[in-house]
Amino acid sequence: MKRAVLVLFTVALLLLLPLTVKAEQTPAERLEETTKTGLSSLLPDAAKPILPDPTDTQALDRALGFKSIFALFSETVRNEGDSLSGRMLALLAVTLLFGALSLFTGNSAVSVFMQGAAALAFFSLLYDSCERILGFFSDLTGLVSGLSPLLAALFAAAGGTATATVASGGFASFLSVLTLFSTTLLPPILRVLFALALLSALGNHTLIRELSRRISGYAVLFFSVISMLLLASLAFQSALASSADSVALRTVKYTASSAIPLVGGTLSGALGALSASVSLLKSTLGGTAVIALLALLLPPLVEVFLLRFALSLSESIATLTEASALKEIVARFKGIMDLSLAALVTVSLLFLLMLGVLVGLSPLGG
């Protein structure tokens, strides 16, 4: 009787007490949550509408599709349209005005004054673009700084300690090169080229043309060589680190399986599941980084490209009006836009290639 009462009391107590069970997250789930939070914080505002969840592979596929990228491009053009179209029209108007006046002034002192005024007008319309270009480098630095610990954490979680170290070192090297180019090399070069473009209004076009060409050429060559050296070094170090991590993990799995078969089988299955999770997260990290890069790159790229197009039209107008001095001035400013385009494209390609090398690594050897 006492036993029956005790059983009934226990059952009643279990029914009355609120029981809450909280399932503990697996390492893969915790890693996914951390990666999602980190990537969401790194996405620029322009990219967030097309990729609300960076760890959703289907959403990432749609975001990398032509329709989403075109929508991002259209949004960029729409946001930049008013001020950019105004500057493009101003460039054409200045060229048309001073080209028409040159038909009546010839090579007089008035012509030199007008050329100087035209050069100053071009300078005022184009110099602000340098701030947008340098702003892109600054934003890219922030993106790389945020991606580095995320990718290193993925490798470390999968047991790839050597690969994680190389990944962190690769991002640090890229940041060093980016800082060298964006703060030490590019700003003074652009200032010198702008100064030469202004001086071209005073004559001696052959010397100024040669100086501008050599300065731009050496800058692009220097950065291209540094970029290739960085990629070659990173690829070599990454291959060695990935191989070392793979051998170490295979050794651990084999040793555990031989010593304690049940634990070894459990360990092998856990590592296999973690490997699949890490591979998926690395893919989403790489795709999200591409979307973020496009969102950061498109505004300065569209601006520089369209301004360069306007300068090409201005050069044609100067040719039609036979204003050779004005044409030379326009050509010098167009050369500055060419260097700016080369800088934007080269840095972006270097980032994508470096990301491809790192994301393609597999510390688990599969």
Side-chain angles (χ1 to χ4, degrees):
M1 183 67 181
K2 292 181 179 181
R3 183 177 297 178
V5 172
L6 182 61
V7 169
L8 291 174
F9 177 77
T10 303
V11 172
L13 187 63
L14 290 175
L15 291 175
L16 292 174
L17 289 178
L19 296 180
T20 58
V21 179
K22 181 179 180 181
E24 185 178 354
Q25 286 184 316
T26 64
E29 290 172 339
R30 288 197 298 269
L31 194 62
E32 180 179 355
E33 186 66 27
T34 302
T35 305
K36 177 181 178 180
T37 303
L39 291 179
S40 297
S41 64
L42 291 175
L43 274 177
D45 292 337
K48 289 179 180 178
I50 66 172
L51 189 59
D53 183 2
T55 56
D56 184 351
T57 53
Q58 294 183 350
L60 183 60
D61 288 339
R62 290 192 297 269
L64 290 171
F66 176 78
K67 183 177 180 180
S68 296
I69 293 177
F70 182 77
L72 186 61
F73 175 79
S74 301
E75 185 66 22
T76 300
V77 173
R78 186 160 49 249
N79 291 338
E80 305 296 325
D82 294 337
S83 62
L84 192 54
S85 60
R87 281 195 287 165
M88 291 175 66
L89 291 174
L91 287 171
L92 296 175
V94 168
T95 307
L96 188 60
L97 173 63
F98 287 99
L101 291 176
S102 66
L103 295 174
F104 303 99
T105 58
N107 295 321
S108 62
V110 177
S111 177
V112 175
F113 172 78
M114 287 193 308
Q115 292 167 18
L120 287 173
F122 286 132
F123 174 81
S124 64
L125 291 169
L126 297 174
Y127 190 75
D128 286 344
S129 299
C130 297
E131 297 297 326
R132 177 64 65 89
I133 296 168
L134 297 179
F136 162 73
F137 288 123
S138 177
D139 293 338
L140 183 59
T141 299
L143 175 62
V144 174
S145 300
L147 286 175
S148 177
L150 287 176
L151 188 58
L154 288 177
F155 285 128
T161 54
T163 311
T165 302
V166 169
S168 298
F171 277 117
S173 299
F174 176 76
L175 286 175
S176 299
V177 172
L178 185 61
T179 301
L180 170 68
F181 190 64
S182 62
T183 63
T184 306
L185 186 63
L186 188 60
I189 286 178
L190 289 177
R191 284 194 289 267
V192 169
L193 291 177
F194 271 114
L196 290 175
L198 290 172
L199 289 175
S200 64
L202 303 178
N204 202 357
H205 301 310
T206 303
L207 176 61
I208 292 175
R209 185 187 309 119
E210 186 64 19
L211 281 174
S212 300
R213 186 183 67 82
R214 287 185 178 274
I215 291 173
S216 300
Y218 287 146
V220 174
L221 177 62
F222 173 78
F223 192 64
S224 299
V225 170
I226 294 296
S227 301
M228 295 309 298
L229 290 176
L230 173 62
L231 281 175
S233 174
L234 179 61
F236 182 71
Q237 293 180 25
S238 301
L240 291 179
S242 180
S243 299
D245 285 333
S246 178
V247 171
L249 286 171
R250 288 177 189 276
T251 302
V252 170
K253 289 167 64 177
Y254 175 77
T255 303
S257 180
S258 300
I260 313 174
L262 291 178
V263 174
T266 304
L267 176 62
S268 179
L271 286 176
L274 187 59
S275 174
S277 177
V278 168
S279 298
L280 181 61
L281 289 176
K282 282 195 304 176
S283 299
T284 58
L285 184 146
T288 303
V290 171
I291 294 298
L293 174 66
L294 286 175
L296 296 176
L297 175 64
L298 281 176
L301 188 65
V302 167
E303 178 176 335
V304 172
F305 181 80
L306 291 180
L307 289 176
R308 189 199 179 282
F309 176 72
L311 287 172
S312 296
L313 294 179
S314 298
E315 195 173 19
S316 300
I317 294 173
T319 302
L320 290 175
T321 56
E322 298 182 354
S324 58
L326 182 61
K327 179 182 177 181
E328 184 66 27
I329 295 171
V330 174
R332 299 286 64 78
F333 283 103
K334 191 173 75 168
I336 297 174
M337 294 296 104
D338 288 337
L339 177 61
S340 301
L341 277 175
L344 291 171
V345 172
T346 303
V347 169
S348 301
L349 286 177
L350 176 59
F351 173 72
L352 291 176
L353 291 173
M354 182 198 68
L355 191 67
V357 170
L358 295 176
V359 172
L361 295 177
S362 177
L364 293 170

